[in-house]
Amino acid sequence: SEFEEYTPKEEFTDKESGKQLIKGFAKKKRYRFFAMWASFLLTFSAAFFLLPFMSDVVLSNTRVCMIITSAITLLAALLNIKSFLGFKEIFSKKADADALVSLSVLGVAVYSVFGIIGGEIIVKMQVVLLIILSFYAINSFYKISATLRSFKQIYNSARKTGVTLISDPAISLAMTKGAVEGETLIAAGQSADHIEDFMKYSTFGTFLNGKASIITFVALGLSILSGVVAFAFFDSLLYAFYSAAAVLCLAANPVMLMIDAFPLYHSSKKLARRGAMIAGKTGAELVEEANAVVMNSKD
């Protein structure tokens, strides 16, 4: 019912709307490609201050060096500002890793301000955040690349074959009698001039089956708790914000960012070579549920 009620911001309905979608996808892909490499370069720039031969420079000019690394971190955050859109649904079922990334940015930002005021070396935590932002940039690039590549497979006037799922009990029994035990969900080819609901299938879905909001809530709670404990133990606001930021960065780990994007990107790359595509995570999940395939002699 959630899928039926969902309406994407834009949809492929005709040649003109398809042309606009391709333009939009291509523009986003160029920006995400730039943001990805820029995030990498900024990460290496900040990490440069951690090299052994830079230790004397950092110790003698701590505040200046930390202002420079903070500026580098802020620039990377601005390049990936799309992550802050995740705040809209931070505790809803539709929440994703964006909220965790943006929370880690805020946590490190507060820590950086107190670190600069106190003249402390804060670059290590900033580099951790920059690594997270770099993976977030890769994730964003992979997502838009997979969507564009998949859309190009259906944006033409040639006749296509789409996969339809047959779950009617009578038809399923007739087709699979003696071949499949239990309930049957059949995947069958269906000739079509136009593939409908591409954007709906490509953009609908929940991250970690709706568990992202739980992870966000727990991470925020543990972050506050660790900050309070650190302040009570060390009697220092800097250590409190360091501890809180560390928990938030741990929650936004790079592996979780790639859970959806990585397999979809590589699947789309392989399928495109054969003129095929999967419409996003929802399309993949639906096809995965099929336990039988109907073919004819032509297939």
Side-chain angles (χ1 to χ4, degrees):
S1 61
E2 283 183 52
F3 178 75
E4 294 301 325
E5 293 166 6
Y6 173 70
T7 304
K9 293 178 181 177
E10 48 191 355
E11 186 56 87
F12 174 40
T13 54
D14 51 36
K15 201 74 175 174
E16 188 56 36
S17 66
K19 191 184 294 182
Q20 294 304 315
L21 281 173
I22 284 185
K23 282 184 181 178
F25 291 152
K27 186 178 178 181
K28 288 176 184 176
K29 184 180 176 181
R30 284 193 297 269
Y31 175 76
R32 295 320 318 174
F33 181 79
F34 165 74
M36 179 177 68
W37 284 107
S39 297
F40 282 144
L41 289 173
L42 290 169
T43 301
F44 289 127
S45 298
F48 181 78
F49 288 84
L50 291 173
L51 295 174
F53 61 83
M54 285 294 293
S55 58
D56 290 338
V57 177
V58 172
L59 287 171
S60 56
N61 303 279
T62 303
R63 189 169 277 115
V64 173
C65 290
M66 294 308 100
I67 289 173
I68 293 171
T69 58
S70 296
I72 290 170
T73 308
L74 177 62
L75 183 55
L78 290 174
L79 281 170
N80 297 282
I81 200 165
K82 176 179 166 285
S83 65
F84 283 87
L85 295 174
F87 273 124
K88 290 187 301 181
E89 294 158 341
I90 188 167
F91 295 127
S92 73
K93 191 180 178 182
K94 293 181 180 178
D96 57 19
D98 287 24
L100 290 166
V101 172
S102 52
L103 281 174
S104 65
V105 170
L106 290 175
V108 174
V110 174
Y111 167 65
S112 297
V113 170
F114 277 86
I116 291 170
I117 293 170
E120 299 288 337
I121 298 173
I122 53 176
V123 66
K124 287 182 180 179
M125 184 64 75
Q126 290 173 340
V127 169
V128 170
L129 176 62
L130 284 164
I131 291 170
I132 291 169
L133 288 171
S134 294
F135 273 89
Y136 179 80
I138 298 173
N139 173 68
S140 300
F141 174 71
Y142 272 14
K143 276 185 177 179
I144 194 63
S145 296
T147 305
L148 176 59
R149 189 184 290 119
S150 295
F151 185 69
K152 283 181 176 178
Q153 302 304 315
I154 63 168
Y155 177 67
N156 54 59
S157 55
R159 199 153 180 79
K160 308 161 190 71
T161 301
V163 173
T164 184
L165 300 177
I166 303 170
S167 56
D168 183 272
I171 296 173
S172 299
L173 181 62
M175 286 182 168
T176 61
K177 191 174 182 180
V180 178
E181 291 185 11
E183 293 184 6
T184 307
L185 183 63
I186 304 169
Q190 185 177 37
S191 186
D193 291 315
H194 178 80
I195 302 295
E196 296 180 349
D197 296 330
F198 173 82
M199 290 302 295
K200 188 172 184 176
Y201 279 96
S202 298
T203 56
F204 180 81
T206 57
F207 187 77
L208 295 176
N209 294 321
K211 301 294 192 299
S213 58
I214 298 172
I215 296 171
T216 305
F217 182 79
V218 171
L220 199 55
L222 289 175
S223 174
I224 294 169
L225 179 63
S226 65
V228 171
V229 171
F231 180 75
F233 192 79
F234 294 105
D235 194 25
S236 167
L237 274 176
L238 183 67
Y239 279 110
F241 285 116
Y242 171 84
S243 182
V247 172
L248 292 174
C249 286
L250 181 65
N253 70 82
V255 173
M256 190 164 66
L257 291 171
M258 305 300 286
I259 281 175
D260 284 354
F262 195 76
L264 285 173
Y265 174 80
H266 286 283
S267 296
S268 70
K269 202 171 183 180
K270 290 182 178 181
L271 290 169
R273 295 171 192 158
R274 294 168 172 81
M277 73 94 183
I278 291 178
K281 182 184 174 186
T282 305
E285 286 177 342
L286 289 173
V287 173
E288 180 193 30
E289 291 175 2
N291 57 2
V293 180
V294 173
M295 295 184 179
N296 58 29
S297 56
K298 185 180 177 183
D299 295 330

